[in-house]
Amino acid sequence: MQLAKSFEQAACILVLLATQRPDIPLTADVIHERIGGSATYIRKIIRKLVVADLVASTSGNNGGVQLARSPETITIKDAVLAIEGPLHTFPDHGYFDQVFKDVEPVADEGTKVVNAIFAQADERWLSFLAQQKIATLIKELLVVNQIPVLNWTNQSENKMAQLNEILAHLRPTK
């Protein structure tokens, strides 16, 4: 199984919002500028994150989006389900039933058995992802003990220089 490209973009949106000053919402335009791709598609992904209660949206001149809750409580599973919907990796086209259609008592059991196996695998995978927090992903990615926060909205500033300066202060000294 492979997740859709939109999952990676959604994860990046969550990371951006987790590193954004919480008192300043990010606009879809700023998010699009950082991630790239289609601006319309970025808005659709944001909408899915809002519907899943991972992101809160504020309208108006100073509006935009921000995390709906702490990155310490948002899991990778939350993001996967927001973008992909309920997980069901076995396609279930009925081929197992077709193969054994003339064999009783298994004629209608093949798909049930294979569905049960994949349902258990799906649940184990989601259980693992439920233990993986967005905050941990950010901290491991940036090699810090706390999430750096800056204002991504001011495009005139050099964000990477700011982030590197913040990271230099947050990283443990050797």
Side-chain angles (χ1 to χ4, degrees):
M1 185 191 101
Q2 186 171 2
L3 296 171
K5 179 174 86 170
S6 56
F7 169 76
E8 184 177 3
Q9 293 167 317
C12 288
I13 290 168
L14 292 173
V15 166
L16 269 175
L17 294 176
T19 58
Q20 171 65 13
R21 279 184 39 190
D23 59 321
I24 303 174
L26 272 182
T27 65
D29 291 337
V30 171
I31 293 170
H32 170 254
E33 186 173 314
R34 297 295 319 166
I35 295 174
S38 162
T40 303
Y41 200 62
I42 292 294
R43 284 182 174 81
K44 287 179 182 180
I45 294 168
I46 291 170
R47 180 72 188 134
K48 286 183 177 186
L49 295 173
V50 168
V51 169
D53 291 325
L54 300 177
V55 170
S57 177
T58 308
S59 58
N61 286 341
N62 296 322
V65 292
Q66 51 205 139
L67 288 183
R69 55 187 211 248
S70 163
E72 301 284 348
T73 66
I74 298 174
T75 67
I76 303 294
K77 175 186 175 183
D78 295 332
V80 167
L81 294 179
I83 300 304
E84 301 288 339
L87 186 65
H88 189 76
T89 56
F90 181 64
D92 191 0
H93 295 294
Y95 294 124
F96 280 94
D97 292 343
Q98 180 65 28
V99 167
F100 298 110
K101 67 182 177 197
D102 300 333
V103 180
E104 292 300 333
V106 298
D108 297 323
E109 295 299 311
T111 299
K112 289 180 190 173
V113 170
V114 177
N115 262 321
I117 291 168
F118 277 88
Q120 190 174 20
D122 292 346
E123 186 52 43
R124 287 180 179 174
W125 187 64
L126 287 174
S127 178
F128 174 78
L129 293 180
Q131 297 170 29
Q132 312 308 311
K133 309 290 187 198
I134 292 293
T136 306
L137 179 146
I138 295 167
K139 291 172 188 176
E140 289 181 9
L141 173 74
L142 298 175
V143 193
V144 292
N145 293 324
Q146 74 182 65
I147 297 174
V149 177
L150 60 140
N151 181 2
W152 291 103
T153 60
N154 189 341
Q155 298 303 314
S156 64
E157 299 172 352
N158 183 341
K159 295 301 173 202
M160 289 304 107
Q162 280 184 345
L163 182 57
N164 281 322
E165 184 177 325
I166 293 169
L167 292 175
H169 289 68
L170 292 177
R171 289 191 175 129
T173 56
K174 296 179 184 180

